[in-house]
Amino acid sequence: MDSSSVSLKKLKFGKLKVVRRHLLQRYEHQPFISCLAGFYSCRWKRYQRRRTEPGKFCCKMGECVFIPFLVGAFCLSLVFLYMWGEAKNDYNNFDWYNYGNTGHWFLWSVFLLILAAVLFTYITLLLVLAVCLLSEGQQLYLHWSHKIGTFLVLGFSIAAIAVFSKLWGVRWKTVRLSFQVTAPYLHIGAIAAMVLLSWPVALHAFRMSKKVIQAIIIGPYLAILVLLFLIPLGMYSPCIREVGTLGPKPALIGHRGAPMLAPENTEMSFQKTIEHGGDGLETDVTISYDGIPFLMHDSNLQRTTNIREVFPSNSTQNAALFSWDALEQLNAGKWFLKDTPFSCMGSLSSADQKLAMNQSIYKLSNFLRLADSANKLVIFDLYRPPVKHPYRNTWINTTLEVIRDSRINPHLVLWLDNTMRSFVQSVAPGFQHTMASKAPVDELLRDNVVKLNLVYSAMSSEDIRKYAQANITTNLYVISEPWLFSLAWCVGVHSVTTNAVHSLKDINRPLFLMTPKEYRIMWLLTDAVAALLISLIFALHWWREKGFSCCSDDSGVVLENGTYNKFRTELNDLPTVVA
């Protein structure tokens, strides 16, 4: 055997060793890809999968058409989940609205949140699996069951967003407010997502043989990336401010007392507010048929009393049409333990449970004496009695008489009702007159208004500052979530009406508060790190696809029907030497 024959045999032997090494590497990598493909397309066997060849698209035309639906389902489910998550401050209002329509109390708000989270998690996992398969150079094939699931998520998200935009559109204002505190952190999350996407984008862009296709893949990605890099230039947050410019912590006014700790509008509820250091008490006043002002928010007594048990035939009757003797017979606390109106109530002690079980409807006179003894501000919505009520035309006078007889310090009363305001000022000059809507400063000063009581969605730092310059303070209602309270604090609100005095009292510094310098460092550092990582990822894939030996792509070994085509072809191409 001559030397040329020995050399060729050594070459073939070396080739076989390379094949064996690559096959082992590919075999060790197979379980990961099998798992990805199995969950995504239900193709668990290796021979059922296909790799993307250089210059080819990631999947067949049918799968390419479906990808936008998958991405759309992800985006819309994310939008609804974020919107509904930020609407947590108003879950009680949502559940109360549904109670009014169904007659049964159920935490629909929490159910929707859980459902939205489950659907978003499902569609996110599908999208992550798709990205991972693309990163491995695998062709995409989504199983038909996942396609049905995708359309279900897409349909639910579209329907939910449409319904809530129609019936509860004010929640979009809450979302816009949330961006003022979460935008810096959402920006970091978006940049991180773009870094992860750079791997499959670069992989498939450099595998395309045509420059036009490469530009179509890379162009939109880079455009979005540059936009995200520059978004902070137009970003505004009142919680990004210099040290020493933050105003005092807003005062806390208990909304119907402490409704997360005790039945609303009861003595126990207001006592809990006082125990937790609330600065004021908010309530709702209705006048009974025999002229006794009492505390009740709803127009009827079904939700917060046992009216169905005591007076079943009159359970839907207006609360103002009952006499005080009848109202005294009702229990105003059992419903609280039965229905648990707030998802975050927690468990009550045995003593509090016993106390709550024995609450009754509270008189306005007793409420005022309690507030005066604790030196707490009081503010209330005064409901005019219905037609044919004996006190329909004297409701203001009746209420003023009770306030005067209670001997409360007039300065503690924030008078909110706008009816007969000039008359009220003449007979009770010590009240702090409060307006329930924005108005020109001159008009407010002319009416001796010293405070505005506004819904929190009307929050505006410019308006609050303008009114403060005229010595008109601002109270926002109802704020119970820490992020929303922090935003109100940063904006300069003087007080908030809240369901959660017990938790907000422990917040000593606004959440998300940072200086402009700290934010610039966070922004620039995020952009710089992201740009570096994306550049390295793109350079890596360019290097691999160019065939450099140190980073050569071993994708040539394709396990298809148990063969290793590339190396077998190379071996067969070697000349045969006869000894």
Side-chain angles (χ1 to χ4, degrees):
M1 184 181 296
D2 57 15
S3 59
S4 62
S5 175
V6 173
S7 299
L8 286 174
K9 285 185 176 181
K10 289 183 178 180
L11 179 60
K12 278 197 171 187
F13 182 70
K15 282 280 189 179
L16 287 172
K17 290 177 66 178
V18 171
V19 170
R20 182 175 180 274
R21 182 173 69 251
H22 280 280
L23 286 175
L24 287 174
Q25 291 174 352
R26 179 62 61 181
Y27 179 78
E28 292 171 356
H29 197 49
Q30 284 301 312
F32 174 66
I33 299 179
S34 296
C35 184
L36 294 177
F39 284 116
Y40 187 80
S41 60
C42 295
R43 290 185 170 184
W44 295 92
K45 296 181 179 180
R46 286 178 294 176
Y47 64 79
Q48 290 182 323
R49 298 194 309 274
R50 295 291 185 274
R51 288 182 59 84
T52 303
E53 297 299 327
K56 303 292 185 180
F57 284 105
C58 61
C59 50
K60 295 180 180 179
M61 182 58 66
E63 295 298 319
C64 287
V65 171
F66 188 79
I67 288 177
F69 290 100
L70 182 63
V71 175
F74 169 79
C75 294
L76 290 176
S77 62
L78 175 61
V79 168
F80 178 70
L81 179 62
Y82 181 84
M83 183 199 78
W84 195 241
E86 294 304 311
K88 185 181 178 183
N89 186 80
D90 300 303
Y91 280 1
N92 185 254
N93 290 342
F94 178 78
D95 294 330
W96 177 77
Y97 172 82
N98 285 291
Y99 173 85
N101 291 317
T102 64
H104 299 282
W105 186 267
F106 182 72
L107 295 177
W108 288 106
S109 55
V110 178
F111 172 77
L112 273 179
L113 180 65
I114 294 173
L115 179 60
V118 169
L119 294 180
F120 173 74
T121 301
Y122 167 70
I123 208 69
T124 300
L125 288 175
L126 287 184
L127 197 60
V128 169
L129 289 172
V131 171
C132 291
L133 287 170
L134 290 175
S135 300
E136 292 296 328
Q138 298 292 317
Q139 287 191 7
L140 296 182
Y141 173 77
L142 187 63
H143 193 260
W144 62 266
S145 61
H146 289 320
K147 290 180 179 178
I148 294 176
T150 299
F151 280 117
L152 288 176
V153 174
L154 186 62
F156 170 81
S157 302
I158 293 174
I161 292 173
V163 169
F164 286 105
S165 297
K166 179 69 175 180
L167 300 179
W168 216 20
V170 70
R171 295 287 75 78
W172 288 112
K173 294 183 179 179
T174 304
V175 173
R176 288 196 292 270
L177 287 176
S178 72
F179 287 149
Q180 295 186 23
V181 293
T182 62
Y185 307 93
L186 293 176
H187 172 252
I188 294 177
I191 293 295
M194 294 300 288
V195 172
L196 296 176
L197 285 175
S198 65
W199 186 276
V201 168
L203 173 66
H204 288 277
F206 289 123
R207 282 193 170 188
M208 294 295 123
S209 56
K210 296 182 179 180
K211 300 295 184 181
V212 174
I213 304 298
Q214 291 181 344
I216 291 175
I217 295 175
I218 297 178
Y221 174 83
L222 292 181
I224 295 173
L225 184 64
V226 171
L227 177 63
L228 288 175
F229 281 166
L230 299 179
I231 273 181
L233 291 174
M235 194 177 294
Y236 164 75
S237 172
C239 289
I240 300 177
R241 57 194 311 129
E242 297 290 352
V243 176
T245 61
L246 182 67
K249 180 179 178 178
L252 301 175
I253 299 176
H255 182 235
R256 307 174 204 166
M260 292 184 180
L261 305 177
E264 65 180 54
N265 280 332
T266 62
E267 181 180 8
M268 178 185 177
S269 186
F270 298 116
Q271 288 283 11
K272 287 293 184 181
T273 303
I274 295 171
E275 289 176 13
H276 286 280
D279 302 284
L281 307 172
E282 186 273 347
T283 188
D284 313 274
V285 178
T286 300
I287 299 177
S288 69
Y289 198 77
D290 51 352
I292 304 298
F294 65 97
L295 310 187
M296 181 59 56
H297 173 268
D298 299 3
S299 60
N300 61 55
L301 303 165
Q302 291 187 95
R303 182 175 66 91
T304 58
T305 72
N306 61 340
I307 184 70
R308 288 191 178 99
E309 300 174 7
V310 182
F311 304 112
S313 60
N314 297 324
S315 61
T316 59
Q317 185 171 275
N318 191 294
L321 298 180
F322 287 87
S323 67
W324 179 248
D325 288 339
L327 294 171
E328 281 188 305
Q329 300 178 45
L330 301 177
N331 183 290
K334 290 181 179 179
W335 71 275
F336 179 76
L337 300 176
K338 175 186 175 183
D339 295 335
T340 57
F342 293 89
S343 60
C344 52
M345 282 174 49
S347 58
L348 299 180
S349 66
S350 57
D352 282 346
Q353 290 182 26
K354 183 178 180 180
L355 186 60
M357 286 285 289
N358 293 286
Q359 292 301 300
S360 57
I361 295 177
Y362 207 36
K363 277 186 177 181
L364 174 62
S365 57
N366 294 337
F367 167 76
L368 295 172
R369 292 189 185 98
L370 175 64
D372 185 56
S373 65
N375 196 34
K376 301 299 181 183
L377 295 169
V378 297
I379 182 172
F380 50 82
D381 288 311
L382 181 56
Y383 300 145
R384 187 179 185 182
V387 178
K388 296 183 180 181
H389 191 284
Y391 290 88
R392 177 170 173 79
N393 297 321
T394 58
W395 54 306
I396 296 292
N397 303 71
T398 302
T399 305
L400 289 174
E401 289 176 8
V402 172
I403 295 175
R404 184 190 63 228
D405 293 343
S406 69
R407 298 185 182 279
I408 187 175
N409 181 352
H411 191 70
L412 294 176
V413 178
L414 304 177
W415 184 264
L416 185 59
D417 196 279
N418 202 40
T419 307
M420 301 171 60
R421 188 179 291 276
S422 59
F423 169 74
V424 174
Q425 290 176 346
S426 64
V427 299
F431 291 174
Q432 296 189 57
H433 281 266
T434 305
M435 185 75 76
S437 60
K438 294 180 181 180
V441 173
D442 294 342
E443 180 181 332
L444 296 175
L445 294 177
R446 185 176 62 251
D447 293 337
N448 297 316
V449 172
V450 297
K451 182 181 284 290
L452 293 177
N453 186 54
L454 306 174
V455 64
Y456 74 84
S457 58
M459 189 185 310
S460 167
S461 56
E462 181 180 351
D463 288 341
I464 291 171
R465 185 168 53 251
K466 176 183 66 177
Y467 290 126
Q469 292 173 351
N471 294 322
I472 299 173
T473 59
T474 305
N475 179 73
L476 297 182
Y477 67 92
V478 172
I479 291 178
S480 302
E481 286 298 299
W483 74 263
L484 195 54
F485 177 72
S486 299
L487 179 61
W489 188 349
C490 293
V491 166
V493 169
H494 301 85
S495 61
V496 300
T497 301
T498 178
N499 293 321
V501 170
H502 62 291
S503 60
L504 297 187
K505 70 180 178 64
D506 296 326
I507 297 179
N508 299 315
R509 183 178 184 271
L511 306 179
F512 312 108
L513 182 66
M514 68 180 78
T515 64
K517 181 179 179 180
E518 291 173 338
Y519 175 61
R520 283 194 296 270
I521 293 175
M522 183 177 73
W523 164 32
L524 296 176
L525 186 62
T526 299
D527 287 359
V529 171
L532 177 61
L533 291 176
I534 291 172
S535 299
L536 291 175
I537 290 171
F538 269 75
L540 172 65
H541 283 292
W542 177 83
W543 202 357
R544 291 179 63 184
E545 296 305 319
K546 288 297 181 181
F548 281 88
S549 59
C550 62
C551 296
S552 62
D553 186 4
D554 56 1
S555 61
V557 182
V558 181
L559 290 181
E560 182 179 346
N561 298 325
T563 61
Y564 42 94
N565 298 327
K566 177 179 177 180
F567 290 97
R568 183 182 62 184
T569 302
E570 291 179 353
L571 288 173
N572 291 337
D573 289 342
L574 291 174
T576 302
V577 179
V578 180

